[in-house]
Amino acid sequence: MLATQQPVLRRFWYPVMPLEQLDDGPKPFRLMNEELVLWLDSEGKPHAAEDRCAHRTARLSLGWVEGDNIVCPYHGWTYDGGGGCVRIPQTPDRPAGRAKVRAFNAEARYGYVWVCLGDPLTDIPHMPEADEPGYRVIHQFYEVWRTAGLRLMENSFDNAHFSFVHRESFGQFDKPIPAKLNIVEEDFGFRFETVAPVNNPPLQKKLLKMDSDTTERHMTSNWFMPFGRKLNIRYPNGLVHAIITYATPIDDEHSMICQWAYRSDSEEDAPAEQIIAFDRQVTEEDKRVLESTDYDAPLDTASGEERHMPSDQPGMVMRKMLLALLARFGEEEARVSGARIPMKEKAS
Ligand code: FES
Ligand code: CO
């Protein structure tokens, strides 16, 4: 599936940038191949519009914010949050109103700017830990990976890769038979439950305050269609480590990885820096393998293009639900002409 060519995927919310990155002025972001300019108005509310001035196409993201509006760096045409031109400095006596740039839905949530390019089908997922006392938030990663959202999503719920991809962090290489899992489908995603045995390397022992060499991860997690997930990991000592990861589609090959975590322990128990260091090792292990896969993952699981095994069920359900979503909106799955993407194109 080529995410940028499925119009219905424009109707979901994606986190696109940590809010604080807009503190010193407007910034560009490419979302599903749309070049956007993001800025904060005088009340700190984010706005998103086409990053292309209606006058001579200059990038508005090179401009600046004046009050609630964005000013083009070329001749100063000024646009409001709805994309309407409110000022043409060269002709102050004439109405500016006819010039426009396209504007998009933008919201601030969980420390990020979220954008929906179309008419939203669902809300930004609710994260109860964000308001519950007893949790702290740790912002972890904001970086580009050369992989498609679907690849990262199915990897997130794949109990069979731990023993191999994560054999140097928490995977049990000598126990390759994956833990059983349970999936409950929801309107725009699913809930997932599993209990996965894992290794407890030295840094984890310290962070989890657990002495044993192995432990169990009780995971009650969510897939948020199309490219969001929450892994809610509870360890036997009651500690909760909930990781939210979005693979925001930049284009068909690249995703902006936005990852933050909620922890039920304190900074004194486990310094954020060390938690990030452990999760960094784990995500690097995933990244290396995911960037080697074809970005155009097929939704049609019966095509024979990829082979499957029973533990692939979460990814199979994702594909089935995405196909149903496309069908519901009269879309066909867009592919790279059905061909394998040559390896040399993958080399970065
Ligand atoms: Fe933006 Fe001229 S190009 S004002
Ligand atoms: Co992994």
Side-chain angles (χ1 to χ4, degrees), residues 106-218:
E107 289 284 342
R109 196 78 56 87
Y110 312 128
Y112 281 87
V113 182
W114 295 66
V115 172
C116 177
L117 294 172
D119 186 13
L121 278 177
T122 67
D123 291 335
I124 297 170
H126 177 56
M127 310 291 171
E129 297 84 353
D131 316 308
E132 265 173 40
Y135 285 98
R136 59 180 162 143
V137 64
I138 301 172
H139 289 283
Q140 296 192 310
F141 310 122
Y142 179 70
E143 62 196 27
V144 179
W145 286 18
R146 190 170 185 183
T147 194
L150 179 56
R151 292 290 188 199
L152 180 63
M153 289 299 111
E154 67 177 359
N155 166 268
S156 298
F157 298 94
D158 167 13
N159 283 346
H161 82 287
F162 299 160
S163 299
F164 296 88
V165 170
H166 301 303
R167 65 190 178 282
E168 282 169 14
S169 52
F170 66 87
Q172 301 185 324
F173 184 63
D174 53 342
K175 297 196 178 99
I177 298 174
K180 298 236 178 323
L181 55 93
N182 182 38
I183 287 179
V184 180
E185 292 179 29
E186 296 176 331
D187 280 349
F188 292 101
F190 60 59
R191 273 184 300 127
F192 161 101
E193 257 192 271
T194 193
V195 181
V198 294
N199 283 344
N200 228 0
L203 179 55
Q204 267 297 71
K205 276 189 191 171
K206 194 172 135 214
L207 296 174
L208 301 177
K209 302 212 178 312
M210 292 173 71
D211 264 342
S212 50
D213 289 335
T214 61
T215 185
E216 277 180 341
R217 288 180 164 191
H218 293 241

Side-chain angles (χ1 to χ4, degrees), residues 53-58 60 72-77 79 90:
C53 183
H55 178 224
R56 288 294 181 269
T57 78
L60 298 175
C72 178
Y74 199 173
H75 312 91
W77 288 28
Y79 301 88
Q90 295 77 11

